[in-house]
Structures are given as C-alpha cells and as structure tokens.
Amino acid sequence: MRRSNLFAFRPFFSLVIFCLGLLSVSCYELTPEDYLTEGDDYLSKGSYAEAVNSYKTGLDLLGEDESLLTILSLETNLATALSLMSLNHEAIQHYQKVISTYMAEIDEIADHETANYAKDIAATSAFYLGMEYQDAGQAENAVESYGYAIVLDPNHWSALANLGSVLHDNLSNHDEALNAYNKAYEILTSKDIVPSDPTAEPRSILSELQYR
C-alpha cells in the first residue's frame, strides 16, 4: 500500500477569510489567514515554492492569541508543499510540529466543533508523517505515526492499510498486519461506518486488501 498507488492526493486545510481579496484596498495588513489562503491558491495551482513562501510568512506573523486551527493549517499545508518539492526532511519537521502543537493546545479548546476540526488536521498530519517515514525506510516511526492517526480517527482506513503494509513488509509482524488490513476492509465495506477520506472507486483497494 504505497502512496504512489493510493494516496497521491493530499487535501489541504483552509479557513474562512475575513478579507475577500488579498489586494483589496480595504486590507491594509495581511493576516496569517490571508497568507494561508494565498498559499492554498498557489498549492492548488502546483506553484509549490510560492506556496511555501506564503505559509512561512503566515507562520512568521502568528500572534500569541492566534487560532489553533490557523496554526495547524499553516503547518500542515507547508509540510505538504515541502513534501511535493521532495524536501522530505523539512516536511517531517513541520508534520511533527502539527502533532506536538495539537497535543499541547487541544485541552484548552472548549468549542466542540473547533476541537474536532483540529483533531482532523492532526490525524491527517500524522498519516502523512507516517508516509514520509515509510518512504524513508523508518518503519518503527511510520508505525507510531499511523497508529496515532488511527487513535485520533479510528475510521482512517488508509492509515490502517498503510500500517498493515509496514507491519507486513518491513517488520514481518503478520498477525498485526492482518488485523490492520481487516479493519481497513471493514471500514470500507460496512454500511454503518463512514470512512474518513472515502475513495470514489474502492474496488481496486478492496481487491488489494484481500490479496494481502
């Protein structure tokens, strides 16, 4: 279950922007949220270097009372842009920053909706961190990252599938690999479970899971 086959697309996280145009005369000072939106626009167009610059500028402008969602979104999307530029070591650092920031700050978030969205971002970052470690041949770190993604989001079928592949291919832990594959298969086939990041065409993935 390598990402080149199944997980080429990486979602990025945007917030509601209070200034509708970055070049509007009514916006005299750009905020971290503005640079998040600017970076997302660059990222969606494949302009990764420009996206990196925007996200880094947004992070430099963060204040002490900045929204946790803004921080996590900037760090996650920066890591994604860096990974797409094959700057994997830097990407790992920023995915790690997302997780450490989430763990340090989440207990202070009282709003349920905000807390859930923050958890979704952290789970996604943990998943992509696992992919970075898996590609780098760091199996134990990959297992830890995928495991944390699953703790945050038990319906994250792709984290379970990739966890199974690391356990089987790299660590020869076949029993636990089978358990992970079975859970991923159950999520994708159950009528009572809503999978995270559902795939539009699950048949090939289900076939691969059955094969493994």
Side-chain angles (χ1 to χ4, degrees):
M1 291 287 173
R2 304 299 291 176
R3 69 175 171 187
S4 59
N5 295 327
L6 298 179
F7 309 116
F9 174 71
R10 296 190 179 211
F12 49 91
F13 298 89
S14 299
L15 302 177
V16 175
I17 300 304
F18 300 102
C19 291
L20 295 179
L22 290 177
L23 301 180
S24 170
V25 294
S26 63
C27 298
Y28 295 103
E29 294 185 10
L30 298 183
T31 67
E33 290 85 358
D34 295 326
Y35 283 106
L36 173 61
T37 297
E38 182 181 73
D40 291 350
D41 184 56
Y42 282 130
L43 189 61
S44 67
K45 295 176 180 177
S47 301
Y48 303 136
E50 290 83 356
V52 166
N53 289 334
S54 295
Y55 295 137
K56 286 185 174 181
T57 301
L59 288 169
D60 289 340
L61 292 176
L62 292 174
E64 293 183 0
D65 298 325
E66 202 66 58
S67 163
L68 177 61
L69 296 184
T70 301
I71 300 169
L72 298 182
S73 298
L74 283 165
E75 291 283 3
T76 298
N77 294 4
L78 172 58
T80 296
L82 289 166
S83 180
L84 291 168
M85 295 175 67
S86 298
L87 298 173
N88 304 94
H89 180 69
E90 288 186 62
I92 285 173
Q93 291 179 325
H94 287 281
Y95 284 133
Q96 289 173 331
K97 184 65 178 296
V98 173
I99 295 168
S100 63
T101 300
Y102 171 81
M103 295 176 68
E105 301 292 337
I106 191 58
D107 288 342
E108 304 299 321
I109 304 299
D111 180 72
H112 183 70
E113 184 176 358
T114 300
N116 279 339
Y117 191 30
K119 183 168 68 172
D120 289 343
I121 298 173
T124 298
S125 282
F127 170 62
Y128 288 130
L129 179 59
M131 288 170 62
E132 295 290 345
Y133 283 136
Q134 186 174 2
D135 284 351
Q138 300 182 40
E140 297 288 353
N141 287 336
V143 167
E144 182 179 354
S145 297
Y146 288 139
Y148 188 58
I150 295 162
V151 167
L152 294 176
D153 183 358
N155 294 338
H156 204 307
W157 67 269
S158 46
L160 283 160
N162 274 15
L163 174 62
S165 71
V166 176
L167 290 168
H168 181 276
D169 298 343
N170 302 102
L171 300 176
S172 297
N173 190 338
H174 306 304
D175 289 339
E176 290 300 322
L178 183 61
N179 185 47
Y181 288 142
N182 281 333
K183 288 181 179 178
Y185 190 89
E186 179 185 2
I187 290 169
L188 288 173
T189 57
S190 174
K191 296 181 179 179
D192 300 321
I193 299 175
V194 178
S196 301
D197 192 22
T199 176
E201 182 48 69
R203 287 181 295 179
S204 61
I205 295 173
L206 292 173
S207 177
E208 177 70 11
L209 287 170
Q210 288 176 314
Y211 170 76
R212 283 182 168 267

